[in-house]
């Protein structure tokens, strides 16, 4: 059944327009966009506030949501944080992971996220034994996204080594298929569906031996699938790569055919000038995760330089210290201001583009992230009358969304023309906080 939405204000990149009508066809795509419509047409669903395209969370580890607050006790480094993370990963089963991911993806929907890129490496039982269905954990995530009403790109992750040739440790055994050939055989069993697309990931140059990188790259290339990789998140990774191979992780990936327009480096924090040129010149994307990068004391990546060299930017909530794409967009700009002591590195429109169209492109959904005819009908509406957003004129809606709003200001999320969040309430998961508390509590039992 065709649906019509009347948007009080809409961000039609790069401008905000008042009174916009969006007609949605039966296939969940935008059939028409009309501007200058002062009052809602009869039968139209009214979305008051500022409507932007659905947001794309380009980098997620759903199970990290169970770490929120727990890892804020005491001090330490990324590597001590990782030990706590492993302890949670050890306790997950397909059923408990489904329950947790369903709640986490519902939280994302409440935050205006219509698509998630799930960087998935919890493949097997804790001792490394495959489940009867070798993709039981991945299928649990795909089902969870469907039940929460959002799209997913499952970035099935190759993870073979604990670090430059070392065998996986006891925590990492469930991540490993043994070889990338075995990984490819298992990943090939996963299939796209209406709400889900299958991509690939190289966990890192630490976790996939250099002579096996091309297997993953070729798997993605032959399928036209997105390929993601954790890249230079830590200086220790760079130092270990230099010791093992005499080059940076970026150069290693370039030499083994991993870089390119369908590839996204996640974090890209500690890069040389040559690294930046390699990434930008190859059209390799950059997914920045500012709230996680600051939470883990990783550092501030050279996002401005990367974009200038030709690397498209996307955003992710990664460890889910918070799930708020407006905060991620804001943090990317504000971090750069702190680093350089100058302002205005990106316009609000450019930051929204990273959170919408460019994020979707990084996940293989090139037909999403825009409010235009033919695009997937994914919409996110932000209140312009909350204590955070009240006051500015509506034409500054993009600036208000990026620099003042939070996930709490999302009033509506529409995915494929279907209302998933209405007036701040999830239509499919009745009690999202309760679902989160129950799923996380079960992992402490």
């Amino acid at each position: 059944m065709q649906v019509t939405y009347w948007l009080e204000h809409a961000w039609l990149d790069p401008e905000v327009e008042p009174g916009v009508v969006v007609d949605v066809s039966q296939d969940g795509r935008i059939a028409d966009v009309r501007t200058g419509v002062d009052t809602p047409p009869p039968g139209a669903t009214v979305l008051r506030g500022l409507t932007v395209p659905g947001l794309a969370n380009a980098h997620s580890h759903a199970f990290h949501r169970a770490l929120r607050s727990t890892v804020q006790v005491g001090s330490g480094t990324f590597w001590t944080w990782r030990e706590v993370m492993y302890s949670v990963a050890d306790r997950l089963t397909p059923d408990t992971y489904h329950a947790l991911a369903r709640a986490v993806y519902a939280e994302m929907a409440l935050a205006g996220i219509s698509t998630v890129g799930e960087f998935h490496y919890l493949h097997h039982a804790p001792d490394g034994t495959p489940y009867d269905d070798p993709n039981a954990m991945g299928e649990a995530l795909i089902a969870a996204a469907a039940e929460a009403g959002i799209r997913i790109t499952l970035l099935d992750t190759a993870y073979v080594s604990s670090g430059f040739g070392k065998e996986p440790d006891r925590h990492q055994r469930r991540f490993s298929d043994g070889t990338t050939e075995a990984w490819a055989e298992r990943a090939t069993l996963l299939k796209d569906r209406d709400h889900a697309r299958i991509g690939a990931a190289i966990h890192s140059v630490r976790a996939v031996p250099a002579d096996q990188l091309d297997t993953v790259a070729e798997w993605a290339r032959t399928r036209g699938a997105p390929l993601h990789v954790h890249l230079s998140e830590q200086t220790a990774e760079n130092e270990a790569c230099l010791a093992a191979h005499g080059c940076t992780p970026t150069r290693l990936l370039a030499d083994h055919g991993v870089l390119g327009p369908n590839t996204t480096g996640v974090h890209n924090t500690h890069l040389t000038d040559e690294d930046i040129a390699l990434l930008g010149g190859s059209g390799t994307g950059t997914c920045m995760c500012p709230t996680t990068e600051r939470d883990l004391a990783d550092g501030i990546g050279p996002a401005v330089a990367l974009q200038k060299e030709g690397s498209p930017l996307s955003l992710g909530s990664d460890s889910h210290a918070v799930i708020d794409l407006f905060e991620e967009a804001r943090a990317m700009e504000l971090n750069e201001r702190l680093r350089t002591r100058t302002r205005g590195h990106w316009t609000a429109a450019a930051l929204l583009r990273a959170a919408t169209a460019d994020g979707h492109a990084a996940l293989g959904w090139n037909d999403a992230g825009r409010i235009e005819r033919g695009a997937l009908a994914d919409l996110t509406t932000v209140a312009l009358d909350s204590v955070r957003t009240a006051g500015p004129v509506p034409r500054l809606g993009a600036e208000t969304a990026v620099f003042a709003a939070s996930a709490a200001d999302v009033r509506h999320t529409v995915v494929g023309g279907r209302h998933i969040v209405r007036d701040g309430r999830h239509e499919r998961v009745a009690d999202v906080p309760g679902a989160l508390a129950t799923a996380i509590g079960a992992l402490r039992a």
Side-chain angles (χ1 to χ4, degrees), residues 247-394:
C247 64
T248 66
T250 301
R251 168 52 71 184
L252 188 68
L253 295 175
D255 289 348
H256 288 270
V258 175
L259 303 185
N262 285 339
T263 300
T264 297
V266 181
H267 303 302
N268 293 1
T269 306
H270 302 286
L271 303 178
T272 66
D273 290 344
E274 182 193 28
D275 292 340
I276 293 169
L278 285 169
L279 292 166
S282 62
T284 300
T286 294
C287 179
M288 303 297 290
C289 306
T291 65
T292 292
E293 290 150 5
R294 72 190 184 197
D295 182 56
L296 298 182
D298 287 344
I300 300 170
V304 172
L306 282 160
Q307 189 171 49
K308 285 181 178 177
E309 285 291 327
S311 179
L313 299 180
S314 55
L315 297 165
S317 63
D318 192 1
S319 70
H320 312 314
V322 297
I323 293 177
D324 188 337
L325 263 289
F326 300 115
E327 174 61 21
E328 302 294 346
R330 174 163 59 244
M332 189 162 69
E333 165 68 22
L334 298 187
N335 284 354
E336 194 66 20
R337 292 183 186 184
L338 282 174
R339 191 179 69 81
T340 63
R341 291 179 289 174
T342 59
R343 305 175 76 234
H345 301 277
W346 292 278
T347 64
L351 293 167
L352 273 180
R353 204 169 298 128
T356 56
D358 289 347
H360 279 97
L363 297 176
W365 297 89
N366 294 296
D367 48 356
R370 299 176 180 83
I371 302 176
E372 61 183 36
R373 188 176 302 170
L376 291 167
D378 299 350
L379 308 170
T380 294
T381 303
V382 180
L384 294 179
D385 57 358
S386 77
V387 293
R388 289 165 292 279
T389 61
V393 294

Side-chain angles (χ1 to χ4, degrees), residues 112-130:
I113 293 164
S114 57
T115 303
V116 61
E118 185 62 38
F119 199 104
H120 167 58
Y121 54 86
L122 272 69
H123 301 308
H124 308 300
D127 65 356
T129 303

Side-chain angles (χ1 to χ4, degrees), residues 132-304:
D132 291 341
D133 175 356
N135 286 304
M137 295 291 267
E139 292 290 350
L141 293 165
I142 291 170
E147 292 173 30
I150 70 171
R151 306 182 194 279
I152 185 171
T153 296
L154 188 76
L155 298 160
D156 196 275
T157 304
Y159 195 125
V160 176
S161 167
S162 69
F164 298 102
K166 298 178 182 177
E167 288 296 312
D169 68 22
R170 65 183 181 86
H171 298 295
Q172 298 162 341
R173 283 196 291 266
R174 73 180 313 180
F175 308 161
S176 178
D177 291 291
T179 65
T180 52
E181 288 79 8
W183 164 84
E185 183 177 348
R186 180 186 51 74
T188 299
L189 299 174
L190 291 161
K191 304 300 181 186
D192 289 354
R193 47 217 88 171
D194 287 346
H195 80 291
R197 293 182 181 171
I198 308 303
I202 293 165
H203 180 274
S204 59
V205 295
R206 291 181 287 108
V208 177
D211 61 0
Q212 297 186 47
L213 291 169
D214 60 340
T215 302
V216 187
E218 182 62 21
W219 188 95
R221 190 161 39 246
T222 58
R223 289 162 177 77
L227 172 62
H228 288 216
V229 54
H230 289 134
L231 181 57
S232 289
E233 182 178 5
Q234 295 290 322
T235 55
E237 175 184 292
N238 290 358
E239 292 161 1
C241 188
L242 283 166
H245 298 290
C247 64
T248 66
T250 301
R251 168 52 71 184
L252 188 68
L253 295 175
D255 289 348
H256 288 270
V258 175
L259 303 185
N262 285 339
T263 300
T264 297
V266 181
H267 303 302
N268 293 1
T269 306
H270 302 286
L271 303 178
T272 66
D273 290 344
E274 182 193 28
D275 292 340
I276 293 169
L278 285 169
L279 292 166
S282 62
T284 300
T286 294
C287 179
M288 303 297 290
C289 306
T291 65
T292 292
E293 290 150 5
R294 72 190 184 197
D295 182 56
L296 298 182
D298 287 344
I300 300 170
V304 172

Side-chain angles (χ1 to χ4, degrees), residues 396-412:
L396 296 177
E399 288 76 9
T400 302
V402 171
F403 291 105
S406 76
D409 296 307
V410 172
R411 292 294 174 264
H412 304 279

